[in-house]
Amino acid sequence: MVLAQQTSILLLDEPTTFLDISHQFEVLDLCAELHEERGHTVVAVLHDLNQAARYATHLVVLGPDGTVAAEGAPAEVLTAELVERVFGLRCRVLPDPETG
C-alpha cells in the first residue's frame, strides 16, 4: 500500500519477522533500492544486528532501559563492547565479506 501511494518516507516495524531468509533479503534489498535509487527515507526496526549492519546507513541502538546507547554509521556503532554492554553477549565483530 505504501509503495502504491508513492510516499517518500517508510516506517517499518520488524518488516522481516516470520519471513524465511530469502524473503528477508528480498524485503531489505527492496528497501535499499527505494533509498538508493528513488531517494526514499526508510526507518526500520530490526532485531537482527547482522541485517541492520548490512543495510542501514545510520543505526540507533537502544539500551535495555530504552535510552539511546549509541548511534551513527554501522561500522562505528556496532562494536564488541557495545554488544556486550547492551545485550550482555561477548562476541567478535567482523566485517561482512560481501559488503565490508
Side-chain angles (χ1 to χ4, degrees), residues 28-50:
L28 295 172
D29 285 341
L30 174 61
C31 290
E33 178 186 318
L34 290 170
H35 172 70
E36 294 165 7
E37 296 177 13
R38 300 187 190 179
H40 291 262
T41 298
V42 180
V43 178
V45 174
L46 296 172
H47 290 256
D48 185 316
L49 296 179
N50 292 309

Side-chain angles (χ1 to χ4, degrees), residues 25-87:
F25 280 92
E26 278 184 31
V27 167
L28 295 172
D29 285 341
L30 174 61
C31 290
E33 178 186 318
L34 290 170
H35 172 70
E36 294 165 7
E37 296 177 13
R38 300 187 190 179
H40 291 262
T41 298
V42 180
V43 178
V45 174
L46 296 172
H47 290 256
D48 185 316
L49 296 179
N50 292 309
Q51 290 178 349
R54 185 177 214 166
Y55 285 94
T57 57
H58 186 89
L59 290 178
V60 177
V61 179
L62 298 181
D65 60 356
T67 61
V68 174
E71 70 173 292
E76 297 169 8
V77 170
L78 285 179
T79 64
E81 295 78 21
L82 176 89
V83 173
E84 185 168 4
R85 181 168 43 95
V86 172
F87 300 102

Side-chain angles (χ1 to χ4, degrees), residues 1-7:
M1 178 182 262
V2 171
L3 296 178
Q5 294 174 346
Q6 298 183 5
T7 181

Side-chain angles (χ1 to χ4, degrees), residues 7-26:
T7 181
S8 62
I9 300 174
L10 282 80
L11 302 175
L12 307 172
D13 186 11
E14 300 186 50
T16 58
T17 300
F18 302 119
L19 297 177
D20 62 54
I21 191 73
S22 65
H23 288 98
Q24 290 177 26
F25 280 92
E26 278 184 31

